[in-house]
């Protein structure tokens, strides 16, 4: 029996890791969660939480799965990067290869990649560094989405309002939330649209509160720690900025409108003026042939698999690594300064959670 650990530092990690947990349980193995720096409220009664580093050490996992960019290096077992999003240049680097997605920090033993391009890039890096492995598995988070019985245009009655899923990232340089709050409020009241709205967990609390107050008959506000994946199929179109959730939505074969995105392309309708948002939504909800063709082509680039079985491939890759690959690699660099910073960060994150734990 294998033991696996999930290291969670952001609320979005829950929906990434739960498909893995389901496959672990299906195989008769064990899974546990260690939460550092975000709420434990999303944990279900049937999910095991390890509340201290001591418990983690005693649990002695064979592998720790990480959707983020850091993990306590001293935790037992191999460290497996499964990523919090797909490979796209969100920060406007001169090329995709320079994005943070490909930054090697020295924490991980195995990278589980999503598509041909990012697999090739990570394998080049693996040959250069020689202290980690790479396996082309797909992304566990998409398993439930790709298992949907239907993709494409949502069936709705003639009198049913189209539903817009609005999501925004938090970085001031790319977020649309402050600019669009009044417009989204207006559109939700004009009787032509319904909205589902969610914001990044790091969003300015003042902005979050402005959107919460828009809640009404035609606008549902969803907290950032809720599982968004089951809600995506409820929408006809997405309104976004530079949040990677727009790529997840595209796998439903549905259109995306963006506001001043840093990742423009023919696979979305991007507008730069607030007053252009509604006309862009009206165009998108018609599912233009050219737009949808480009959307499908992008999805093929981002994720190689459509079978909803990436979690199984991840676990198979871990098993192969543990049995056949680990002994072939060099030792990781010492990284003493980074390790000191990780210990400090872990203490800080756990201290921040102390009131929740004591309550």
């Amino acid at each position: 029996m294998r033991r696996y650990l999930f290291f969670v530092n952001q609320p979005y990690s829950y929906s990434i890791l739960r498909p893995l947990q389901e496959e672990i349980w299906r195989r008769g193995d064990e899974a546990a969660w260690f939460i550092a720096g975000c709420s434990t409220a999303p944990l279900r009664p049937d999910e095991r939480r390890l509340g201290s580093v001591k418990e983690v050490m005693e649990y002695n996992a064979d592998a720790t799965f990480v959707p983020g960019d850091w993990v306590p290096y001293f935790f037992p077992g191999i460290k497996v990067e499964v990523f919090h999003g797909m490979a796209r240049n969100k920060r406007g680097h001169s090329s995709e290869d320079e994005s943070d997605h490909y930054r090697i920090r020295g924490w991980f033993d195995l990278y589980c990649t999503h598509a041909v391009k990012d697999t090739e890039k990570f394998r080049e890096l693996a040959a250069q560094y020689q202290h980690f492995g790479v396996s082309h598995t797909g992304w566990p988070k998409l398993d439930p989405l790709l298992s949907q019985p239907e993709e494409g245009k949502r069936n709705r009655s003639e009198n049913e309002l189209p539903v817009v899923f609005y999501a925004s990232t938090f970085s001031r340089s790319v977020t649309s939330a402050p600019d669009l709050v009044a417009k989204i409020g207006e559109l939700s009241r004009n009787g032509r649209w319904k909205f589902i709205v969610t914001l990044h967990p790091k969003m300015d609390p003042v902005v979050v509160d402005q959107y919460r107050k828009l809640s009404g008959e035609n606008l549902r506000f969803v907290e950032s720690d809720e599982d968004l994946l089951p809600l995506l199929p409820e929408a006809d179109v997405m309104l976004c900025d530079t949040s990677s959730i727009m790529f997840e939505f595209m796998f439903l074969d549905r259109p995306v409108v963006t506001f001043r995105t840093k990742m423009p392309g023919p696979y979305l309708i991007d507008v730069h003026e607030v007053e252009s948002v509604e006309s862009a939504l009206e165009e998108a909800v018609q599912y233009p042939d050219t737009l949808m063709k480009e959307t499908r082509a992008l999805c093929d680039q981002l994720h190689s698999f459509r079978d909803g079985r990436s979690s199984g491939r991840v676990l198979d890759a871990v098993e192969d690594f543990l049995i056949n690959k680990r002994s072939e690699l060099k030792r990781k660099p010492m990284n003493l300064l980074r390790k000191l910073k990780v210990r400090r960060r872990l203490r800080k994150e756990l201290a921040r959670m102390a009131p929740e734990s004591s309550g």
Side-chain angles (χ1 to χ4, degrees):
M1 180 181 293
R2 291 291 190 191
R3 283 185 167 183
Y4 299 104
L5 180 69
F6 300 137
F7 180 71
V8 172
N9 186 240
Q10 294 292 340
Y12 51 65
S13 297
Y14 290 101
S15 59
I16 297 171
L17 296 170
R18 280 196 171 118
L20 265 176
Q21 179 175 247
E22 291 299 321
E23 180 63 17
I24 289 167
W25 286 346
R26 191 189 69 80
R27 297 183 180 201
D29 294 326
E30 294 184 19
W33 300 73
F34 182 78
I35 319 299
C38 68
S39 175
T40 62
L43 282 176
R44 304 189 307 240
D46 62 340
E47 293 175 328
R48 179 179 180 183
R49 178 192 173 195
L50 304 180
S52 68
V53 172
K54 181 175 183 292
E55 289 182 37
V56 169
M57 305 308 286
E58 292 173 349
Y59 182 70
N60 196 29
D62 295 289
T64 296
F65 295 106
V66 187
D69 57 14
W70 72 284
V71 61
Y73 62 91
F74 51 86
F75 280 9
I78 65 168
K79 317 304 183 296
V80 184
E81 172 66 271
V82 294
F83 301 100
H84 70 273
M86 287 170 282
R88 297 302 295 168
N89 188 359
K90 293 175 64 174
R91 303 299 179 191
H93 295 283
S94 58
S95 73
E96 181 66 44
D97 288 351
E98 296 177 12
S99 72
D100 291 344
H101 190 80
Y102 298 111
R103 184 178 176 186
I104 304 302
R105 296 173 171 85
W107 302 134
F108 300 105
D109 301 283
L110 178 64
Y111 288 81
C112 290
T113 53
H114 306 154
V116 172
K117 183 178 178 181
D118 67 322
T119 302
E120 290 175 348
K121 177 62 177 177
F122 274 108
R123 284 180 174 161
E124 290 175 6
L125 293 168
Q128 175 185 342
Y129 288 93
Q130 299 183 45
H131 59 69
F132 61 85
V134 178
S135 186
H136 185 191
T137 62
W139 197 27
K141 184 178 183 180
L142 290 183
D143 284 355
L145 207 62
L146 295 175
S147 300
Q148 293 284 331
E150 294 183 5
E151 297 176 357
K153 189 175 293 186
R154 186 174 69 92
N155 292 324
R156 55 185 172 91
S157 65
E158 184 177 344
N159 296 324
E160 185 181 355
L161 296 178
V163 178
V164 180
F165 194 111
Y166 174 63
S168 178
T169 191
F170 72 98
S171 174
R172 291 182 180 180
S173 63
V174 295
T175 183
S176 62
D179 294 300
L180 294 185
V181 60
K183 174 55 67 174
I184 289 175
E186 173 194 323
L187 295 180
S188 71
R189 295 187 296 268
N190 70 12
R192 295 192 291 269
W193 306 92
K194 284 192 173 183
F195 280 82
I196 301 171
V197 174
T198 192
L199 301 173
H200 193 282
K202 293 184 179 179
M203 180 66 71
D204 181 346
V206 173
V207 176
V208 174
D209 191 54
Q210 289 175 332
Y211 278 91
R212 279 201 194 100
K213 290 177 179 177
L214 295 178
S215 297
E217 181 182 357
N218 288 334
L219 189 146
R220 174 185 174 187
F221 184 81
V222 181
E223 300 294 342
S224 63
D225 61 358
E226 291 188 43
D227 188 357
L228 303 178
L229 217 57
L231 302 179
L232 294 183
E234 297 181 16
D236 299 280
V237 61
M238 175 170 280
L239 175 59
C240 197
D241 38 43
T242 307
S243 173
S244 60
I245 195 173
M246 68 180 177
F247 301 118
E248 298 167 33
F249 186 78
M250 287 180 185
F251 280 91
L252 289 172
D253 199 25
R254 297 179 190 176
V256 174
V257 172
T258 52
F259 183 77
R260 300 175 186 172
T261 187
K262 297 293 185 183
M263 297 183 288
Y267 43 81
L268 48 78
I269 301 172
D270 187 49
V271 297
H272 285 248
E273 302 300 329
V274 172
E275 293 308 313
S276 301
V277 168
E278 185 170 22
S279 61
L281 291 173
E282 290 170 346
E283 178 184 354
V285 83
Q286 299 302 315
Y287 287 58
D289 289 341
T290 300
L291 176 67
M292 300 317 301
K293 181 179 179 180
E294 294 289 349
T295 296
R296 295 175 196 121
L298 176 68
C299 288
D300 289 339
Q301 294 175 24
L302 291 176
H303 198 267
S304 301
F305 307 98
R306 291 292 186 278
D307 57 6
R309 298 179 180 177
S310 291
S311 295
R313 280 186 290 271
V314 168
L315 294 180
D316 290 344
V318 168
E319 189 67 18
D320 181 57
F321 183 89
L322 289 170
I323 295 174
N324 302 313
K325 306 289 178 59
R326 179 164 50 173
S327 60
E328 301 174 0
L329 299 177
K330 292 183 177 180
R331 292 174 62 91
K332 294 192 192 73
M334 289 295 289
N335 285 340
L336 293 177
L337 182 58
R338 280 186 178 177
K339 287 179 177 178
L340 179 61
K341 289 180 178 178
V342 159
R343 285 185 176 272
R344 288 175 175 170
R345 181 172 185 177
L346 182 61
R347 284 196 296 267
K348 180 180 178 181
E349 299 286 23
L350 292 177
R352 187 152 62 101
M353 294 178 61
E356 178 182 302
S357 299
S358 62

